[in-house]
Amino acid sequence: MTKRIGIVISLLAILSTSCEKRLFSFVADIDQIQTYQIDQTGAFEIGRVVSRSDVLAILDIPQDAYVTDVKIQTIAVSVTIKEGNQASHVKLTATVNDLLSGKEQVFRDYPVPLTGKLGIANPWSPVTLLLDRGINKVKNKIAGYVKNNDPFDYELILEGDSDPVSQRVVADIRLKIVATVEYDACIEVFSVFSGGKECPDAKNALGP
Amino acid sequence: MNGSKNSALLALLMLIFAGVVNAQDLQTTIAKYTSENGKGYLQPLADAFGANLNSGLYHQARIKKSGLQLHFALVTMTAPIAEDQKTFTATTEDLFYPKTTVEAPTVFGRSENIAVEGVGGTAYIFPAGFDIKSVPVAVPQLSIGSLFGTQATLRYIEIDLGENWGPLNLYGWGIRHSINPYLPSLPVDLAIGYYRQTFKIGDIIDARTSLLTAQTSLTRGVLTFYGGIGYESSDLDILYQYETTDEAREISFDLQGQNSARLTFGVGLRFGPLQINSDYNLASQNVLVIGVGAEF
């Protein structure tokens, strides 16, 4: 009799279980790419404006997500050599310029070889010498956008010169910033299988 | 922010199929991973799903020599998730510097992201799991016989998941044959069976399982004790498009289920045509089965 009752209870537990909302952690990457077209003998400096809407357009997270953190994963460079280029290397400095908090360098005098076939983009190469304060400023701008507390654009400035100097550089230089948005979201799961954490009040959602 | 993208994913649909996890969030999370990390992240899901499908296919070994023998049931299979299925060895991807290897959560692992620090304050985030303790699947099943001591078993589900995914289709068949006519002095019922199943979601997921079993049972009053040994295989192919700002990547995983041999112990209870059974399957991936149905 006990066995019968046990089987019936197990069966009912599986078939009649209710659903509940639980909080789980997720990540979503944002790839931002800026292209700088260079045709210059001597030092060059080009700025590109990044807006909140640019960043949010490539972010795919639920409207009611709770953004917990933003991290910068990678800064990478890819070069496309153009007709007329004479330089074998270029030294690049990237700077983030925020109207409110000023400028910070993301990397400085980073050597990039100008090799490869004309008109063909070289594979992405990570920048391996990055500066904490610049990375932190980019991170704070993106975090401000996704948490909806920073509406202001920022500028990503690329400057440099050929190495050795005063050779003609004709190239498209692409700069990629990969950021990771960490967020929590409440999703519906069966009660008997639920993991995750208790859902907080939806009014505290930080999603844009 | 965007809504759900058309591209991507998922093995996760199997989780949806199991009713556990929401599609978009899992899709976004898995998009973080491409090849080896994706395999490691999803492998326990392939193991659990394959083991589940290869379970619950029989609830006794008695097959009439001839005449109508019909059994219709709803069978639930639940794979408990062991601790060692909750982490895998993962390596940073996507140009992160320096390349670093850590123990990261699988899809079943802890719901906490793992961060690895890189140069200049950069960080690589390994996605959290979903803190899942078990994976349930439920399927309708029809067994029909008997002809020369032989019975056929069918499973079938078809659901239209919309244009983003295409149809979800589960089709399974099996055939088993009684050994008792050849060994009339046997004190128990004995049969051998072979089962195959396919599971598809559009062009994204294509899974196949097979099971070869020897089954036995002993009936005493309303109770039937049954069991068996089996040799099984399962594989799961996942193919999806992952779009970044500068390229569309085609990502594919070919996952082989871990299970090969299994041992089954179960008990059934019968009240007239109503029949309830439960069994436990011991293998690399264990499975608990509960079935309820009618037998004529």
Side-chain angles (χ1 to χ4, degrees), chain B residues 23-41:
Chain B
Q24 186 197 341
D25 297 308
L26 196 48
Q27 174 175 322
T28 306
T29 289
I30 305 258
K32 175 86 182 174
Y33 283 151
T34 51
S35 67
E36 284 308 309
N37 282 342
K39 274 189 176 183
Y41 188 78

Side-chain angles (χ1 to χ4, degrees), chain A residues 11 60 72-73 182 189 193 208, chain B residues 1 3 20 32 113 123 134 290:
Chain A
L11 192 63
D60 187 8
I72 302 301
Q73 178 182 300
E182 297 181 80
V189 294
F193 304 115
Chain B
M1 293 184 187
V20 179
K32 175 86 182 174
N113 301 325
S134 57
I290 296 178

Side-chain angles (χ1 to χ4, degrees), chain B residues 205-223:
Chain B
I205 291 174
D206 189 354
R208 294 159 298 279
T209 67
S210 66
L211 173 70
L212 179 64
T213 68
Q215 309 160 10
T216 185
S217 68
L218 178 66
T219 299
R220 289 286 180 266
V222 295
L223 286 176

Side-chain angles (χ1 to χ4, degrees), chain A residues 27-29 73, chain B residues 8-9 26-43 87-94 102-107 112-114 116 124-129 240-242 249-253:
Chain A
V27 297
D29 282 352
Q73 178 182 300
Chain B
L9 198 331
L26 196 48
Q27 174 175 322
T28 306
T29 289
I30 305 258
K32 175 86 182 174
Y33 283 151
T34 51
S35 67
E36 284 308 309
N37 282 342
K39 274 189 176 183
Y41 188 78
L42 294 172
Q43 181 64 53
T87 60
F88 74 108
T89 303
T91 302
T92 54
E93 298 180 347
D94 289 338
V102 297
E103 286 297 301
T106 65
V107 66
E112 285 178 16
N113 301 325
I114 301 290
V116 172
Y124 188 93
I125 308 298
F126 290 94
Y240 66 96
Q241 295 277 331
Y242 168 46
R249 299 181 199 168
E250 188 171 270
I251 294 172
S252 65
F253 304 118

Side-chain angles (χ1 to χ4, degrees), chain B residues 22 34 36-37 52-53 60 89 155 160 169 173 199 226 228 230 239 243 255 279 288:
Chain B
N22 173 284
T34 51
E36 284 308 309
N37 282 342
N52 270 346
L53 282 191
Q60 43 90 346
T89 303
R155 286 178 172 179
D160 187 0
N169 184 289
W173 62 268
F199 174 79
Y226 66 96
L239 177 69
E243 292 173 2
L255 304 167
D279 60 66
L288 171 69

